[in-house]
């Protein structure tokens, strides 16, 4: 890959680097110039959700690095690593109107050279939900994020709320390993019908795409039930499930009402909760989440 690329649609040139050494010297130069370094890690197939993170980084930092790397260690053996979309040219076009300084698009040989054998094993928030369904997933995520943090040494790194559990795992790693980086979590960007943007949405057939809106509709229903006074998480899950039951192409992986900090299951909703959902539509797996009862007192606060 060339170190500098301009796409046909691009209005600005993005510097594309695929070697750690070249990245390091570029970043050293920026740091010596006193720039605040912002970082957005992605797996590419960029959409408006990714772009919103990049825009936040560009607003708040003076040197922005976006990584594009489909990380093999966070995919299970039966997951979609091989078919995961790799669309570098389109990704560069998607970033053309952002003031990105460097796109880091390393090869797997660069990230996991022969003999690689050290991994980060997150516990706590990493163990339930996605961690339970996708063994090793957060180990792969934490390992690659730590490596990228070491390579980029960002002052601020941006993640999406869409992957809520991932953001908790990253925050925990930053705390546990004393990493000198601030984590910013940005809101989920959605289609006009509520479906959260995801690189995996492109796998959906027309019928699956139509039925996929039930994820968001059920999250909204959960919020409305809490707003109307329902406090029993079991009742809320049951109502959500009923809605899902009407969509024959949507198979539940989980619907969970959990504590926003620990992801421990909640039975009574007396403080804000996160509803996290995962579904299969054919061979595609989608996740989403939302906060419900955000107006309730935070855990540990009195109601008055
Ligand atoms: P990925 O390329 O799927 O690894 O995602 C890269 C980053 O973009 C992660 O921090 C995701 O949480 C974030 N992201 C993915 N989809 C969305 C979305 N719809 N809205 C906001 N952020 C997102």
């Amino acid at each position: 890959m060339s170190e500098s690329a301009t796409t046909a649609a691009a209005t600005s040139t993005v510097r594309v680097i695929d070697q750690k050494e070249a990245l390091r010297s570029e970043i050293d130069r920026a740091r010596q110039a006193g720039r605040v370094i912002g970082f957005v890690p992605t797996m590419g197939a960029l959409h408006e959700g990714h772009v919103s993170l990049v825009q936040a980084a560009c607003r708040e930092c003076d040197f922005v690095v976006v990584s594009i790397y489909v990380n093999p260690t966070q995919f299970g053996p039966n997951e979609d690593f091989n078919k995961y979309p790799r669309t570098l040219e389109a990704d560069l076009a998607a970033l053309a109107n952002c003031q990105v300084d460097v796109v880091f698009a390393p090869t797997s040989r660069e990230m996991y050279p022969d003999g690689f054998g050290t991994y980060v094993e997150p516990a706590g928030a990493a163990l339930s939900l996605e961690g339970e369904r996708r063994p090793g997933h957060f180990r792969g995520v934490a390992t690659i994020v730590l490596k990228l943090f070491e390579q980029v040494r960002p002052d601020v790194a941006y993640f999406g709320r869409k992957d809520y559990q991932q953001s908790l795992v990253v925050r925990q790693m930053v705390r546990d390993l004393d990493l000198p980086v601030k984590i910013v979590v940005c809101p989920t960007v959605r289609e006009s019908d509520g479906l959260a943007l995801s690189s995996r949405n492109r796998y959906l057939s027309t019928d699956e795409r139509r039925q996929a809106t039930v994820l968001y509709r059920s999250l909204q229903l959960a919020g409305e039930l809490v707003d109307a006074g329902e406090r029993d998480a079991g009742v809320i899950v049951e109502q959500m499930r009923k809605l899902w039951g009407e969509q024959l192409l949507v198979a539940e992986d989980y619907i969970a009402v959990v504590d926003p900090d620990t992801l421990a299951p909640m039975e009574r909703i007396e403080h804000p909760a996160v509803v996290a959902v995962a579904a299969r539509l054919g061979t595609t797996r989608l996740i989403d989440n939302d906060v419900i009862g955000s107006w309730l007192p935070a855990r540990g606060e009195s109601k008055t």
Side-chain angles (χ1 to χ4, degrees), residues 83-112:
K83 78 163 184 176
Y84 199 86
R86 289 155 171 90
T87 59
L88 185 61
E89 284 303 305
D91 292 346
L92 298 178
L95 296 175
N97 292 322
C98 306
Q99 299 304 308
V100 173
D101 294 277
V102 169
V103 167
F104 181 47
T107 59
S108 273
R109 196 160 347 120
E110 190 71 3
M111 295 307 267
Y112 297 105

Side-chain angles (χ1 to χ4, degrees), residues 23 27 31 37 39 65 147-154:
L23 177 72
I27 286 171
R31 190 170 295 291
I37 297 173
F39 176 45
V65 180
K147 282 174 67 68
L148 288 165
F149 280 180
E150 274 304 301
Q151 290 159 1
V152 177
R153 305 259 173 104

Side-chain angles (χ1 to χ4, degrees), residues 41-43 47 49-50 53 84 159-160 162-163 166 187-189 197:
T42 82
M43 296 205 299
H47 50 61
H50 298 113
L53 308 187
Y84 199 86
F159 291 83
K162 153 86 168 40
D163 298 282
Q166 171 174 278
T188 302
V189 177
L197 297 192

Side-chain angles (χ1 to χ4, degrees), residues 117-186:
T118 306
Y119 292 85
V120 179
E121 192 69 64
L127 299 181
S128 61
L129 304 176
E130 292 301 288
E132 214 174 309
R133 271 71 176 192
R134 304 182 66 188
H137 171 65
F138 286 123
R139 176 192 206 238
V141 169
T143 301
I144 197 67
V145 170
L146 179 61
K147 282 174 67 68
L148 288 165
F149 280 180
E150 274 304 301
Q151 290 159 1
V152 177
R153 305 259 173 104
D155 296 291
V156 192
Y158 295 82
F159 291 83
R161 176 160 201 121
K162 153 86 168 40
D163 298 282
Y164 184 77
Q165 187 173 15
Q166 171 174 278
S167 71
L168 286 190
V169 170
V170 170
R171 280 189 193 285
Q172 180 182 325
M173 177 175 76
V174 164
R175 262 196 323 271
D176 290 350
L177 303 183
D178 305 308
L179 306 180
V181 56
K182 178 180 160 197
I183 303 299
V184 173
V185 179
C186 300

